[in-house]
Amino acid sequence: MASVTTSTGVFSGLDTASIISQLMAVEQRPLQTLGVKKSGYQAELSVFGKLKSSLATLSTAAGALKDITTQTMKASSSDTAVFSATATSAAAAGTYSIQVSQLATAQSIYSSTFASESSEIADLSSITTQKLKIQVGSATAKDITINSTNNSLSGIRDAINAANAGVTASTINAGFEISAANNTIVFNDGSSRTATLTAGTYSGDALSAELKRALEAANGGADTYTVSYDATSHKFSINNDSANVNAVDLLWEDPLSTASALLGFSASDHASVAVSTSAVGDSAVGGYRLILNSSATGAANHIKISVDEDNDDTYAEAGAETDTTGLSRLAFDATYNSSGAVAGGVANMSQTAAALSATLVVNGLSVSRDSNTVNDLISGVTLNLLSKSTTTTPTLIISKDTQSVIDDVKDFVSAYNSASGLIRSVTSSSPTSRALLAGDGAVTSMLTSLRNAITTTFGAYAPATLGITHTKDGVLQVDSTVLENFLKDDLSGAVDSLNKMGKAFNDNVSFFINTSIPSRTDGLNQLIKRVDQSAASLQRRLTLTQQHLTRRFTELEALIGKLQNSGSSITQQLQGLN
């Protein structure tokens, strides 16, 4: 309804706005009554929503009772740090000694080093498209095309991951690794000498310092050298210091110079380095590596990488496609010893973690599996292997799971109390207040139905016999000790009674949820709709009434104004006669 804007009467002196507002306040009382009625319906609708939710929880709990079986089993590990276990109804009761000798592991391999993630891997100067083939165990091999769009360490990493080849590829800057296989530089500064690098992993700057130390140690400190690593060009530089006397001939081509490739110098004759001049590496070098981790564990799941550099669809051709240049640097088709270590074959990448199967001794019998999740060893039982058991032999016990039955009963009791408590709270009035649904026969019948069901005998036993009783206030409770004893003494009979009780409650509550409550909520929604329609109609009438009153008062003011003008004119005429 619009607000009243008519001001105090100019001619009558009446506060017409106030008069109209007071008249409209009387007219609006039926609208306020409709609002109160709608709020009541909405409150009832909310209660029925809560009832339906609570009864749905009870229905779920009753359904769990209905589905209890006499074959409910549980698996218990005496050492859950070594293995955990679960059992299904297919498991048979029994005890097993299980020693875990080895966990299943996934293979991990890594490449030789590259200067950076953008370093080119394949030599595409003559064959512009080449291929990798990756296979894990007996899984389907995946072909990966390498061309100018992805010919880099990071590009090949991403292409491998996109191929879903059963491996996860990543790159890491692990630095320069010095070992006995690549730690010597033969040189001549007037005498034949050999510099030996200390084994370890170095950054570019740290290896520069170590190379300086090794060269100067080899010549007894007679000459000094300045060694650096350029992080932009990724090349090492060896400067023959100006205070030195002798030129130095770094014999990278000497077979005993095992550090040549690591430092980026080709194995060929290089010019001697005169005093105050430097020797700079022939190629960029760095500590970036490609790492491949198998997604599957077990000795049957080794990683195999084959290369097709001439793009003739024939992989791993001897020589060119298995050497350590170009794309073949990633070739890997190794053979293994009994411990999973690489023993031969094509191994241009290195292994950091072996593909091993889990090995167990079960009741004295040795078995192996490719996964740490073992579900085909003991029927109906899944073992989750977690660690080795080198000093103890844990025990697995498979037994009847009466505790899960007790838990299901407790869940039912809790859901019953929640639903019945809610029904009582909305139907039971107190001396000082009336319950929202007091006297509602449909709702009180729900509580009566629940109470009657819990006192019924199902199969061989009544709920009370199994330890499921209620207090004088109607609150349900369960005596776990009584129930557990019946489950031990007569599992079949007790479960049959619980099944039948669950079905009875499930059917009963389903009727409330699917029929009784929807019928009531549909009715309430219709009542709310009617109230809204009546309120809208009344609001339209109120608007017209206010407009009518405003118009009438305006007309009254106009009439009074005319009368006042006429009176003034007559007065003036009478005064004129005098």
Side-chain angles (χ1 to χ4, degrees):
M1 187 184 73
S3 60
V4 179
T5 56
T6 302
S7 59
T8 301
V10 174
F11 301 106
S12 66
L14 297 174
D15 186 353
T16 54
S18 176
I19 294 170
I20 294 174
S21 294
Q22 293 177 52
L23 291 171
M24 290 307 301
V26 175
E27 296 288 337
Q28 285 177 333
R29 287 173 184 171
L31 187 63
Q32 295 169 351
T33 301
L34 288 175
V36 172
K37 186 177 293 188
K38 179 179 179 179
S39 296
Y41 292 151
Q42 288 175 327
E44 289 186 34
L45 199 61
S46 175
V47 168
F48 278 109
K50 293 177 182 178
L51 282 173
K52 185 174 182 179
S53 176
S54 184
L55 289 171
T57 301
L58 178 57
S59 178
T60 300
L65 294 186
K66 180 171 66 73
D67 295 336
I68 292 173
T69 73
T70 56
Q71 296 301 315
T72 303
M73 307 297 288
K74 67 177 179 180
S76 302
S77 169
S78 65
D79 191 343
T80 54
V82 175
F83 68 84
S84 61
T86 57
T88 68
S89 59
T95 301
Y96 304 85
S97 62
I98 300 178
Q99 185 174 36
V100 181
S101 307
Q102 172 67 51
L103 291 177
T105 56
Q107 187 176 32
S108 180
I109 58 177
Y110 65 89
S111 70
S112 56
T113 56
F114 295 90
S116 68
E117 288 190 329
S118 60
S119 295
E120 292 186 350
I121 311 302
D123 180 1
L124 302 180
S125 58
S126 56
I127 308 295
T128 57
T129 298
Q130 301 178 23
K131 292 193 288 288
L132 289 173
K133 179 184 287 185
I134 299 179
Q135 183 177 23
V136 176
S138 60
T140 302
K142 298 287 186 176
D143 293 332
I144 300 169
T145 299
I146 307 301
N147 54 35
S148 59
T149 65
N150 61 2
N151 184 31
S152 65
L153 196 63
S154 60
I156 290 178
R157 173 200 65 200
D158 295 342
I160 291 173
N161 286 332
N164 295 317
V167 297
T168 301
S170 60
T171 53
I172 186 174
N173 183 9
F176 296 89
E177 185 177 353
I178 302 296
S179 67
N182 63 354
N183 67 339
T184 55
I185 304 111
V186 178
F187 68 99
N188 192 303
D189 59 356
S191 300
S192 295
R193 308 182 189 278
T194 299
T196 303
L197 301 171
T198 303
T201 300
Y202 298 86
S203 65
D205 290 341
L207 185 54
S208 296
E210 172 58 18
L211 179 55
K212 170 182 172 65
R213 182 207 63 76
L215 291 171
E216 293 176 357
N219 68 23
D223 289 325
T224 60
Y225 308 96
T226 300
V227 183
S228 61
Y229 177 75
D230 190 316
T232 302
S233 66
H234 303 289
K235 293 183 177 182
F236 281 98
S237 174
I238 303 173
N239 182 71
N240 191 359
D241 291 347
S242 59
N244 295 342
V245 175
N246 303 307
V248 58
D249 188 6
L250 298 165
L251 304 176
W252 303 114
E253 72 278 12
D254 193 307
L256 296 180
S257 288
T258 58
S260 301
L262 176 76
L263 298 174
F265 291 90
S266 62
S268 60
D269 186 21
H270 290 66
S272 295
V273 183
V275 173
S276 297
T277 62
S278 299
V280 179
D282 301 303
S283 59
V285 289
Y288 285 87
R289 300 177 188 270
L290 177 70
I291 298 175
L292 299 183
N293 293 309
S294 172
S295 301
T297 57
N301 294 306
H302 287 113
I303 300 171
K304 177 182 177 181
I305 305 175
S306 304
V307 176
D308 179 14
E309 289 183 321
D310 55 10
N311 199 26
D312 64 353
D313 291 326
T314 301
Y315 288 82
E317 293 176 295
E321 293 178 348
T322 58
D323 61 17
T324 56
T325 62
L327 193 60
S328 297
R329 285 177 285 182
L330 303 182
F332 191 80
D333 185 10
T335 59
Y336 306 89
N337 61 23
S338 59
S339 64
V342 173
V346 178
N348 295 344
M349 297 181 73
S350 302
Q351 177 176 272
T352 53
L356 299 175
S357 296
T359 56
L360 307 85
V361 180
V362 181
N363 286 357
L365 299 175
S366 296
V367 295
S368 65
R369 293 292 187 273
D370 283 331
S371 172
N372 290 316
T373 300
V374 182
N375 54 20
D376 61 350
L377 182 59
I378 302 170
S379 181
V381 176
T382 297
L383 297 174
N384 297 298
L385 309 182
L386 304 173
S387 66
K388 295 180 182 180
S389 54
T390 55
T391 58
T392 61
T393 301
T395 300
L396 171 67
I397 299 176
I398 310 298
S399 59
K400 297 288 185 182
D401 187 12
T402 57
Q403 185 57 50
S404 68
V405 177
I406 294 172
D407 290 342
D408 285 341
V409 172
K410 287 181 176 179
D411 289 343
F412 170 79
V413 167
S414 176
Y416 177 96
N417 287 334
S418 178
S420 60
L422 179 58
I423 295 172
R424 283 194 297 271
S425 70
V426 298
T427 58
S428 301
S429 300
S430 69
T432 58
S433 64
R434 177 178 172 81
L436 185 61
L437 300 180
D440 191 309
V443 179
T444 55
S445 69
M446 294 180 188
L447 184 59
T448 301
S449 178
L450 294 179
R451 286 174 174 172
N452 290 340
I454 204 63
T455 58
T456 302
T457 297
F458 300 98
Y461 302 109
T465 307
L466 296 176
I468 307 169
T469 59
H470 56 76
T471 67
K472 63 180 181 179
D473 297 323
V475 177
L476 208 59
Q477 57 190 9
V478 58
D479 188 325
S480 299
T481 302
V482 173
L483 179 57
E484 185 174 13
N485 287 336
F486 269 94
L487 293 172
K488 290 179 179 178
D489 296 339
D490 183 11
L491 179 63
S492 179
V495 167
D496 178 65
S497 292
L498 292 173
N499 289 160
K500 291 176 177 176
M501 183 175 78
K503 184 180 185 308
F505 268 92
N506 197 272
D507 293 345
N508 209 356
V509 171
S510 294
F511 175 77
F512 298 148
I513 294 172
N514 299 321
T515 303
S516 297
I517 292 178
S519 176
R520 290 301 305 278
T521 55
D522 287 346
L524 287 168
N525 281 320
Q526 286 298 320
L527 290 172
I528 291 172
K529 183 178 180 180
R530 292 194 193 103
V531 168
D532 287 338
Q533 291 172 341
S534 297
S537 177
L538 179 57
Q539 183 64 66
R540 288 192 294 270
R541 291 199 301 272
L542 289 172
T543 300
L544 293 175
T545 298
Q546 179 179 319
Q547 292 172 350
H548 174 72
L549 289 173
T550 301
R551 185 172 59 254
R552 293 301 301 272
F553 274 97
T554 301
E555 291 172 351
L556 177 62
E557 286 296 321
L559 178 59
I560 293 173
K562 287 181 180 180
L563 291 174
Q564 288 178 348
N565 288 334
S566 296
S568 298
S569 176
I570 292 172
T571 299
Q572 291 174 356
Q573 291 176 6
L574 291 173
Q575 290 174 347
L577 293 174
N578 294 331

